[in-house]
């Protein structure tokens, strides 16, 4: 066991720089989508609900609105307050609300939107296959909001937003959009690589960001890579 542990450790140390990938700014990612005339761009942000994040980061939504996109985009937000307001207002009506940025108020902030309520679901569905296998999902009450050309799946609870079924259960087909946002760093690839013209890993701040330098630490022993660069094995 000690021998194997040492071999694995040495291999990890040899490949240490390859664990940290270069990501694209959210501004450049949306600009890239605006240049494309056909095909789907899948954007992976730093709000992975299967990595411990809250699912209500508004980094990408904020930029889509800022750049006044004219192409269809699809994303998800966890916001039980907005779901409650939408259920009260009813399908077909408009809602003015502050969406997202309530649980993740460290790296995100609510976005002011006016949207039309398109659909409700109970948030129960089954994912078959994928990298985890068959699982039963409960995202609580969900609502589909449309603001401009952006469709937002708003849910009471977090869900595995690495799989197309999260959207399809609400009648939203990712292939009908220019941009689809997935809250997953890796697991989404099995579901989306077959249909994506391009995949962009976006450098958004968040609770599951791959850029470890954005966090504040108090108990890290030193030296530790990558926080201390000039160290040897």
């Amino acid at each position: 066991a000690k021998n194997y542990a040492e071999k694995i450790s040495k291999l990890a140390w040899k490949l240490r720089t390859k664990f940290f990938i270069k990501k694209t700014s959210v501004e450049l990612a949306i600009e890239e989508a605006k240049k494309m005339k056909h095909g789907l761009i899948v954007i992976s942000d730093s709000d992975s609900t299967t990595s411990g994040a809250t699912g209500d980061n508004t980094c990408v939504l904020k930029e889509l609105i800022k750049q006044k996109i004219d192409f269809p985009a699809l994303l998800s937000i966890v916001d039980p307050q907005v779901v409650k307001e939408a259920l009260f207002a009813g399908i077909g009506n408009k809602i003015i609300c502050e969406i997202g940025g309530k649980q993740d108020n460290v790296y995100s902030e609510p976005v002011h939107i006016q949207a039309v309520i398109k659909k409700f679901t109970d948030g129960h569905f089954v994912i078959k296959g994928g990298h985890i296998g068959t699982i039963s999902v409960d995202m609580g009450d969900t609502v589909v909001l449309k603001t401009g050309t952006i469709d937002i799946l708003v849910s009471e609870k977090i869900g595995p937003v690495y799989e197309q079924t999260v959207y399809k259960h609400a009648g939203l087909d990712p292939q009908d959009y220019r941009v689809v946002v997935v809250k997953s760093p890796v697991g989404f690839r099995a579901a989306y690589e077959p249909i994506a013209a391009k995949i962009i890993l976006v450098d958004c701040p968040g609770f599951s960001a791959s850029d470890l330098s954005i966090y504040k630490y108090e108990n890290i022993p030193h030296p530790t890579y990558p926080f201390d660069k000039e160290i040897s094995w």
Side-chain angles (χ1 to χ4, degrees), residues 106-160:
V106 177
Y107 302 104
S108 184
E109 59 185 12
V111 172
H112 181 82
I113 65 167
Q114 177 174 304
V116 176
I117 303 163
K118 304 293 289 185
K119 187 174 183 177
F120 296 127
T121 84
D122 62 7
H124 288 82
F125 55 92
V126 175
I127 292 177
K128 296 181 179 180
H131 71 295
I132 292 180
T134 300
I135 58 172
S136 180
V137 178
D138 176 12
M139 294 177 65
D141 287 329
T142 68
V143 56
V144 177
L145 300 181
K146 189 175 192 66
T147 177
T149 60
I150 306 168
D151 285 342
I152 310 172
L153 179 70
V154 192
S155 63
E156 281 189 306
K157 306 174 186 177
I158 64 171

Side-chain angles (χ1 to χ4, degrees), residues 21-220:
I21 59 173
K22 184 175 178 58
K23 289 192 170 183
T24 304
S25 72
V26 65
E27 294 86 0
L28 288 178
I30 304 307
E31 287 174 8
E32 185 71 19
K34 290 167 77 172
K35 293 176 184 176
M36 286 185 63
K37 301 301 180 184
H38 306 285
L40 168 66
I41 290 184
V42 176
I43 291 179
S44 166
D45 69 7
S46 300
D47 188 29
S48 173
T49 52
T50 48
S51 301
T54 56
D56 72 334
N57 188 293
T58 57
C59 171
V60 179
L61 173 61
K62 188 175 181 179
E63 189 62 29
L64 288 168
I65 294 173
K66 180 181 177 182
Q67 293 202 28
K68 299 178 180 179
I69 64 164
D70 59 1
F71 53 80
L74 176 62
L75 53 86
S76 68
I77 295 281
V78 178
D79 195 324
Q81 180 180 327
V82 169
V83 170
K84 184 177 180 180
E85 292 174 12
L87 287 169
F88 180 79
I91 292 176
N93 293 313
K94 291 183 179 180
I95 183 174
I96 298 174
C97 61
E98 303 290 323
I99 190 170
K102 299 181 178 75
Q103 296 182 73
D104 179 3
N105 55 14
V106 177
Y107 302 104
S108 184
E109 59 185 12
V111 172
H112 181 82
I113 65 167
Q114 177 174 304
V116 176
I117 303 163
K118 304 293 289 185
K119 187 174 183 177
F120 296 127
T121 84
D122 62 7
H124 288 82
F125 55 92
V126 175
I127 292 177
K128 296 181 179 180
H131 71 295
I132 292 180
T134 300
I135 58 172
S136 180
V137 178
D138 176 12
M139 294 177 65
D141 287 329
T142 68
V143 56
V144 177
L145 300 181
K146 189 175 192 66
T147 177
T149 60
I150 306 168
D151 285 342
I152 310 172
L153 179 70
V154 192
S155 63
E156 281 189 306
K157 306 174 186 177
I158 64 171
V161 196
Y162 62 81
E163 225 276 344
Q164 294 185 47
T165 314
V166 170
Y167 292 124
K168 285 185 173 180
H169 96 277
L172 304 167
D173 188 341
Q175 294 189 78
D176 293 336
Y177 297 85
R178 174 71 51 78
V179 165
V180 172
V181 181
V182 294
K183 295 183 178 297
S184 166
V186 178
F188 71 92
R189 290 185 178 275
Y192 282 95
E193 279 187 335
I195 65 170
K198 182 172 289 189
I199 290 173
I200 302 179
L201 305 180
V202 168
D203 184 20
C204 280
F207 287 121
S208 61
S210 60
D211 181 2
L212 303 181
S213 67
I214 71 172
Y215 303 118
K216 294 181 180 179
Y217 302 91
E218 296 180 0
N219 301 305
I220 291 178

